[in-house]
Amino acid sequence: MMRRVTTIAETRAALAGLRRGGRTVGLVPTMGALHDGHLSLVRASRDRCDVTVVSVFVNPTQFGPGEDLDSYPRDLDADAALLESAGADLLFAPDASEMYAEGAETRVEPGSISTVLCGASRPGHFAGVATVVVKLLGITLPDFAFFGEKDYQQLKVIERVVRDLDMPVRVMGCPIVRDEDGLALSSRNRYLNAGERVSARVLSRALRRLCERIARGEIDACELTRALADEVSGEPGVRLEYAAIVDAETLAPLGRLTSPGRALVAARVGRTRLIDNVAVGPVPAKADAAVVPLSWRSPA
Ligand code: PAF
C-alpha cells in the first residue's frame, strides 16, 4: 500500500522506516500529470531498488515569466492512483510553501552546460531544476535517482551537479517512451489540439530521418543539423526553436560524428513548446552492469 505525504518531516520519517535493514531507495522526481514515461521511471526504480519514492511537485522556480506555471496540468488523485498501481511505496507531494520556506534564498547555479540549447531560451530554468532536485535529494537521500532522457539536457545538468557537489547518489537516465506515432510522451502533449498533434509528429520523424542518413554514412554534423532544422521548420504550424547535434556529455556542438553525440530539437507547435532527441554517432561503452549504489549513510 503506497503512503501519501505532504511534508518534509513525514517523508524523512517514512523513509527512515522503509530503508531499515539496508534497503535501497530510488527517487523518481516528477511534476505530476503522469504518463507512461513517468511510469517507466517507477518501473526502473522498482527493478533496481527496494523502495521507490516519487515526488510530485510543480516547481515554480523553473518556470520563467509568461511560461505555463499556472496552466500546468495538475491531478494529484489520478497521479496517486497510477503510482499505487505501478507499485511506488511513497508519494511526496508538497506544496510550494513546504518546499521553499519563507526567506529561502539559496539557489544551485549549474555551469555552462545549462546556458545552451533550452537554457538559452529559458534563462534560470536549469537553476530552478537543479535547486529543487538537490533539495529533493537532500530530503529523500536516495541511492538512485531516475530521470527520463526526453529531457536530455536536464539529465546532463543533474549528472553534472551531482558530480560537482559530490552527492552520493547514482543518477540513472531512462529511455524516451513514445506514442505509436513516434511522439515522445510529455505532460505538455495534453495542450495539443488534434491538428497540432499531427504536426507535432515532425519532431520524431525528422530525428528518425536523421538517423537514417547517419546509418547511410553521413557524418558532417553541420549538414545533418541543417537537414534536421529544415525538416522541422518546413512543417506548417511548427516554429523551430533550435536543432543541434552536440557531444553527448558536454553538449558542445559537434563538427563530425566521430564520437558519441546527441541530436536535439525544440519547437513550438501552436503555443506548446515540445522537445525531443536521439543518440547519434558511435555508441558509448555501457558501464551499467557495474553500477553499485553509493550511500548517504556511513558504511556499515
Ligand atoms: O522533469 C521534471 O518533471 C522536472 O524538471 C523535475 C526534474 C521533477 C524537477 O522539477
Side-chain angles (χ1 to χ4, degrees):
M1 178 80 182
M2 183 183 75
R3 247 190 97 186
R4 191 165 153 174
V5 294
T6 56
T7 68
I8 294 169
E10 285 172 306
T11 306
R12 289 195 166 130
L15 283 169
L18 287 167
R19 65 160 61 87
R20 221 165 266 144
R23 281 152 57 93
T24 53
V25 173
L27 170 68
V28 180
T30 81
M31 297 207 300
L34 301 181
H35 50 65
D36 273 346
H38 297 111
L39 300 182
S40 75
L41 304 181
V42 174
R43 276 194 297 277
S45 173
R46 277 174 47 89
D47 285 350
R48 201 174 269 280
C49 305
D50 301 314
V51 174
T52 294
V53 52
V54 181
S55 61
V56 171
F57 177 60
V58 183
N59 172 37
T61 67
Q62 68 188 75
F63 288 79
E67 291 190 350
D68 56 345
L69 173 62
D70 293 335
S71 56
Y72 198 84
R74 292 164 171 87
D75 189 346
L76 191 56
D77 288 334
D79 289 343
L82 285 172
L83 293 172
E84 174 93 61
S85 53
D89 299 286
L90 185 67
L91 164 58
F92 173 46
D95 63 18
S97 63
E98 179 70 11
M99 282 303 280
Y100 295 103
E102 181 102 38
E105 302 194 307
T106 304
R107 269 167 85 78
V108 178
E109 191 62 62
S112 52
I113 196 172
S114 70
T115 58
V116 295
L117 304 170
C118 291
S121 58
R122 304 185 72 191
H125 168 68
F126 288 114
V129 170
T131 303
V132 82
V133 168
V134 166
K135 285 167 71 64
L136 290 166
L137 294 173
I139 293 164
T140 58
L141 309 183
D143 302 279
F144 292 88
F146 297 83
F147 297 88
E149 289 183 344
K150 210 264 301 168
D151 297 294
Y152 189 77
Q153 188 177 10
Q154 167 174 283
L155 171 65
K156 293 295 134 182
V157 166
I158 292 165
E159 283 177 355
R160 191 62 205 254
V161 165
V162 160
R163 193 162 71 238
D164 287 355
L165 299 182
D166 303 305
M167 304 184 83
V169 57
R170 297 274 183 206
V171 174
M172 308 297 286
C174 301
I176 297 176
V177 179
R178 298 179 180 280
D179 261 332
E180 274 170 18
D181 62 2
L183 184 66
L185 296 193
S186 161
S187 303
R188 291 189 167 98
N189 290 353
R190 300 178 189 206
Y191 298 150
L192 300 170
N193 65 30
E196 291 168 347
R197 183 74 180 63
V198 173
S199 304
R201 290 183 200 157
V202 72
L203 275 73
S204 57
R205 191 168 62 235
L207 288 169
R208 203 174 55 243
R209 295 239 171 96
L210 177 90
C211 291
E212 287 164 6
R213 293 178 72 146
I214 295 167
R216 287 198 296 269
E218 289 186 46
I219 57 164
D220 180 335
C222 299
E223 200 49 55
L224 289 161
T225 304
R226 199 165 315 129
L228 178 63
D230 285 351
E231 178 154 6
V232 175
S233 52
E235 179 76 20
V238 176
R239 196 151 40 87
L240 180 73
E241 190 181 288
Y242 67 77
I245 297 180
V246 298
D247 179 272
E249 290 307 313
T250 64
L251 307 188
L254 279 182
R256 283 160 62 82
L257 266 185
T258 49
S259 54
R262 205 84 188 180
L264 306 103
V265 276
R268 290 213 178 252
V269 181
R271 298 182 58 188
T272 307
R273 185 175 183 279
L274 298 177
I275 55 175
D276 201 351
N277 68 83
V278 70
V280 290
V283 180
K286 214 165 163 53
D288 197 47
V291 171
V292 289
L294 299 167
S295 181
W296 302 80
R297 289 154 275 163
S298 42

